[in-house]
Amino acid sequence: MRPMKRAGVVARATFAAALLRSTEALSIAARAPGLNVRISVANGLLNSSTDGRISLLLAPAGVDPLDDTDVTSSPDLFFGKNVYNYHSGDTALLSGDSGQNVRVGVYGYPNVSLNDVAPGDYTVQAYLNIYEKAVRSDGSVVSVRFPCGDGQPNVDGFGSLLTPVTNVTISGGRQTISLQFNDSVPYEVFNGTEIGACRQGNYEDSKNLKHVKIRSAALSKFWNRDMYVGANILLPAGYAANDTRTRYPVVYSQNHWAGGDGAFRYSTSASFAATWDSGIINGTNITAARPTPKFIVVSFRHEAPYYDDSYAVNTANFGPYGDALNDELIPHLDAMFNTIAKPYARIQEGGSTGGWESIASVIYRPDLFGSCFTYYPDSLDFRRHQDIYLYDTANAYYRDGVAVPSIREVTNGTETVLATTEMENHWELTFGTSSRSALQWDAWQAVFGAQGLNGYPLEAWNKVTGEIYPEAVEYWKPFDLSHYVTGNWDNAKNLGAVLKNRIFIYVGLADTYYLNEGVEKFQENVESFGGAGWANFTYIEGAPHGGNYNRLEIWTYLELLDKWFKDHAPGGATPLGDDVTSAASRGNYWEETIARAGHQAALDRQAPPHLDVYEKLIKGSVGRWDPGVALMAQWKVDGRLQGKPFAVKKGRSVTYEVKGHWGWWKHSFQLLATGTQNGYVDETRASRIVKA
């Protein structure tokens, strides 16, 4: 196990100068103060009116706008705007804007406003991401995109409308560009026989790779529509369905959306597939030929609203995906295949998002899974959410006046920052408001956060300014795995004893997304309770994001998993006892999750303005609102508005002093408060009317 303290110091290449030059270039470039883009819908293309998100991409002339849309490298200018009740024959207007009202206005990256587009030649294309309205079982109402076998891309998803690729010249003066949605992105032709049509894909089986999909009762109830989860099952060489006496342990390999592919690149690596199917690992000049490990490998398919997967847990925004996978799909697979349906015979493994899912699955369900082999996981301790000090700083984008980095590469010990948290979040915002971009930072808001009063994720920081909202961050804590484990260390869940020696984590110290920081904080916290060795940690100096656990060669890694199965089976060297796989240690219950962070919790957070009378002094509060809501207040006396609206912070008191001596007790008073927040419809609330 590598010590927590880093042996080397990585030098950081300065990027502030480059960032400043980029900003200056945008500010001094000739502006196009009258640039308008009108986008119509061809007749017959939409069967009914719809809400959705228009994404407008401007690439350098001659470049396909979809060639490169990555925040670290794309030459494109990105603009987005929500549309409501958009229909065939309708026209949407995109113009100007400053990012002050992203729910109805245009938001762009790296230029916020269309007015900042420099004159020149561009290749332009627009897409419409179509939303569907969902009235969920807890009473919340959202308009989101339901993916159908495409893994929920941020743009160009199946069924999206698109305009032709168009070359335009932007003059720098007043100008209107007209585009038309006249086609849609075709759906993939699936040839499988699974239920649910294209939802979660529909794939053909081969001898050793099977595909199974079920309708989830739990998810369907929450979303008020048919919802499915699926799995790709990789069977070992020699597996015989009718030989029910020969049973196999299972590795659950977590990852992003993989379509119909098998785990460990079975579908893309001919050499791996040939070895797996043959059952023999060829010998080398230093090793003899040997059998492949004999276990089943399961990969989940759980593309979802908000992201390409659900993070495999129960959350207030995604719904009960943890229950759908663990309590519906896994028992279904156990009934179909010759598995050993015991915790000792179930390992969770995965990297990055799959890394977080693998360790979270064991932490929340030690009654179901035996161990996890987790590599470069998403943040395990939100004291370091990537490089954001989420609990200790006021802004997610800047710390002590310096931009917080998000993506890096390290070459010969020198770090180059490729993107900051501000850059990534602003880029995401062009693809969707209210955490609907289907990109990483928005996915975390949806997984870890509560529902806002608007039904969408209660964002932990302002997507435009980066201001952190501590009240919203509090809702993240049950998903702060470091906080969760130590908070349940020696209570009824007894996780200190239950999880000991069952967690294996690897991360490189030059992780591309700074995920080593969260692992180090997790280690620091759990070892302050359980001592060194409570879990197994490996760090590799200079290693970036990527690779297998401990950067092992694939067969060496799979043999390591096989050894864990054998060691912890009954009769093995260290059998996994019933005392550490009790249901008493289970967590992440759906009922608790939705009660704590769902729609009713959002309603319970609210309160109207309130007034108290102290003779000639009226003292009031503006009530309770969601974090981040900006408030303007105004008094009403005898039913008439008094003076101008004034800004007031949530939690602050306001007063009205009655002037004069005669008849003051006859007057009536009321306080109005209007709240505005990106992603919310402006709302005015009124106190009860009181008399002095």
Side-chain angles (χ1 to χ4, degrees):
M1 183 180 68
R2 193 191 181 287
M4 243 181 48
K5 185 174 177 61
R6 305 180 199 179
V9 177
V10 177
R12 174 169 291 178
T14 61
F15 66 101
L19 194 61
L20 178 61
R21 287 195 297 273
S22 174
T23 304
E24 288 175 343
L26 292 176
S27 65
I28 63 176
R31 293 162 62 89
L35 180 59
N36 300 311
V37 181
R38 298 175 62 87
I39 308 178
S40 61
V41 185
N43 288 328
L45 196 58
L46 287 174
N47 294 327
S48 59
S49 61
T50 185
D51 294 350
R53 180 73 174 181
I54 290 176
S55 292
L56 175 66
L57 283 63
L58 285 75
V63 175
D64 185 333
L66 286 183
D67 272 356
D68 179 2
T69 60
D70 188 83
V71 67
T72 65
S73 55
S74 178
D76 291 1
L77 304 179
F78 302 90
F79 296 92
K81 182 178 181 178
N82 292 330
V83 289
Y84 303 92
N85 298 313
Y86 198 45
H87 54 270
S88 290
D90 201 359
T91 299
L93 176 65
L94 282 69
S95 65
D97 237 302
S98 60
Q100 297 304 305
N101 191 341
V102 299
R103 191 183 71 83
V104 296
V106 174
Y107 192 85
Y109 174 85
N111 309 76
V112 171
S113 172
L114 277 165
N115 290 341
D116 294 326
V117 176
D121 295 327
Y122 295 87
T123 298
V124 178
Q125 191 170 29
Y127 288 84
L128 175 66
N129 214 9
I130 296 173
Y131 296 154
E132 296 179 60
K133 182 178 180 180
V135 181
R136 298 184 292 200
S137 63
D138 69 343
S140 55
V141 181
V142 293
S143 290
V144 293
R145 180 178 185 269
F146 289 90
C148 214
D150 59 9
Q152 191 69 293
N154 57 302
V155 69
D156 195 30
F158 299 163
S160 299
L161 305 190
L162 69 157
T163 67
V165 174
T166 304
N167 294 318
V168 301
T169 298
I170 293 177
S171 64
R174 293 189 178 279
Q175 181 179 5
T176 297
I177 298 169
S178 294
L179 304 173
Q180 184 180 64
F181 291 122
N182 65 355
D183 203 352
S184 61
V185 178
Y187 287 82
E188 182 175 343
V189 177
F190 293 108
N191 297 313
T193 58
E194 299 178 88
I195 63 171
C198 64
R199 284 162 289 187
Q200 305 298 346
N202 198 325
Y203 303 100
E204 291 184 286
D205 293 340
S206 63
K207 179 183 178 181
N208 288 332
L209 181 59
K210 309 299 182 183
H211 302 89
V212 175
K213 193 196 316 182
I214 65 168
R215 178 186 179 276
S216 165
L219 287 171
S220 299
K221 178 181 178 182
F222 177 67
W223 283 99
N224 266 321
R225 57 186 290 150
D226 289 336
M227 298 288 288
Y228 297 83
V229 288
N232 305 339
I233 302 94
L234 186 58
L235 302 174
Y239 179 90
N242 59 358
D243 179 11
T244 57
R245 297 175 62 182
T246 302
R247 309 197 74 84
Y248 299 87
V250 182
V251 171
Y252 295 89
S253 182
Q254 302 277 13
N255 206 332
H256 288 281
W257 174 255
D261 290 354
F264 304 119
R265 301 182 182 176
Y266 175 82
S267 302
T268 57
S269 170
S271 62
F272 176 82
T275 301
W276 180 272
D277 289 344
S278 73
I280 298 294
I281 303 170
N282 292 330
T284 67
N285 58 354
I286 58 173
T287 62
R290 60 197 191 275
T292 56
K294 296 300 186 289
F295 47 68
I296 294 170
V297 185
V298 171
S299 302
F300 294 131
R301 284 179 276 141
H302 46 129
E303 61 176 355
Y306 297 112
Y307 203 45
D308 77 340
D309 75 19
S310 68
Y311 271 67
V313 291
N314 296 326
T315 75
N317 291 296
F318 281 94
Y321 273 90
D323 288 357
L325 297 173
N326 297 329
D327 297 336
E328 295 181 282
L329 183 57
I330 287 178
H332 184 81
L333 298 178
D334 286 338
M336 287 187 67
F337 298 96
N338 299 332
T339 66
I340 303 171
K342 299 288 185 181
Y344 79 83
R346 296 187 181 114
I347 286 176
Q348 284 271 349
E349 79 87 43
S352 196
T353 290
W356 192 94
E357 292 168 343
S358 66
I359 188 173
S361 293
V362 172
I363 286 173
Y364 293 135
R365 294 301 306 271
D367 61 315
L368 190 63
F369 303 105
S371 182
C372 65
F373 287 77
T374 291
Y375 30 111
Y376 38 89
D378 292 356
S379 180
L380 303 183
D381 187 314
F382 295 151
R383 290 178 294 172
R384 297 294 184 274
H385 183 45
Q386 288 201 181
D387 192 47
I388 299 172
Y389 296 12
L390 193 58
Y391 298 149
D392 301 325
T393 54
N395 195 283
Y397 300 161
Y398 291 90
R399 185 171 60 248
D400 300 324
V402 178
V404 174
S406 178
I407 305 175
R408 65 178 170 180
E409 62 182 13
V410 178
T411 306
N412 297 324
T414 298
E415 177 184 286
T416 302
V417 174
L418 304 179
T420 66
T421 58
E422 182 179 42
M423 291 165 64
E424 259 202 292
N425 276 266
H426 287 179
W427 168 72
E428 287 189 2
L429 190 53
T430 69
F431 294 107
T433 61
S434 299
S435 299
R436 289 177 293 181
S437 71
L439 293 164
Q440 184 61 81
W441 291 96
D442 278 350
W444 285 326
Q445 301 279 6
V447 174
F448 304 141
Q451 289 182 23
L453 185 63
N454 62 352
Y456 300 101
L458 182 68
E459 294 176 340
W461 58 84
N462 185 304
K463 194 81 171 173
V464 176
T465 67
E467 178 189 357
I468 291 174
Y469 306 132
E471 184 184 349
V473 170
E474 278 296 309
Y475 286 99
W476 285 41
K477 285 189 174 177
F479 297 102
D480 180 328
L481 298 181
S482 174
H483 174 85
Y484 177 83
V485 169
T486 55
N488 292 285
W489 191 266
D490 55 6
N491 60 10
K493 294 188 188 301
N494 198 27
L495 295 186
V498 165
L499 294 174
K500 185 176 182 181
N501 298 323
R502 294 168 70 177
I503 292 174
F504 298 80
I505 305 173
Y506 155 70
V507 70
L509 286 176
D511 185 85
T512 308
Y513 307 103
Y514 300 87
L515 297 175
N516 54 296
E517 296 183 14
V519 172
E520 291 170 309
K521 285 297 181 183
F522 179 87
Q523 181 181 10
E524 174 188 282
N525 197 27
V526 298
E527 289 189 351
S528 73
F529 281 73
W534 180 83
N536 185 289
F537 295 88
T538 303
Y539 303 91
I540 296 180
E541 192 73 49
H545 202 73
N548 295 319
Y549 173 77
N550 284 4
R551 301 186 79 80
L552 294 173
E553 182 272 333
I554 184 59
W555 294 109
T556 303
Y557 174 43
L558 297 185
E559 289 174 322
L560 175 65
L561 301 183
D562 191 48
K563 183 177 186 304
W564 194 96
F565 282 135
K566 291 172 180 174
D567 285 348
H568 293 83
T574 54
L576 192 67
D578 293 341
D579 58 323
V580 294
T581 57
S582 164
S585 298
R586 178 176 175 172
N588 188 229
Y589 283 96
W590 169 241
E591 295 78 8
E592 295 176 358
T593 299
I594 198 66
R596 180 188 61 83
H599 183 58
Q600 187 58 52
L603 293 174
D604 292 344
R605 279 196 306 271
Q606 315 302 313
H610 176 78
L611 295 181
D612 290 305
V613 180
Y614 301 91
E615 293 190 351
K616 297 172 67 174
L617 184 68
I618 314 300
K619 188 174 182 180
S621 78
V622 289
R624 298 196 307 270
W625 301 72
D626 269 355
V629 174
L631 294 167
M632 297 293 289
Q634 191 169 19
W635 290 99
K636 255 188 175 183
V637 179
D638 297 333
R640 296 178 180 178
L641 294 173
Q642 299 294 302
K644 294 182 178 179
F646 54 94
V648 60
K649 290 186 178 296
K650 194 171 62 167
R652 299 284 177 85
S653 296
V654 295
T655 59
Y656 188 94
E657 186 175 0
V658 182
K659 304 295 185 182
H661 299 284
W662 298 104
W664 56 266
W665 59 87
K666 299 179 182 179
H667 296 295
S668 64
F669 300 88
Q670 189 176 35
L671 181 64
L672 307 181
T674 299
T676 60
Q677 164 75 311
N678 275 330
Y680 288 62
V681 176
D682 292 357
E683 180 186 2
T684 299
R685 301 177 186 173
S687 73
R688 63 185 178 88
I689 297 172
V690 301
K691 286 186 176 292

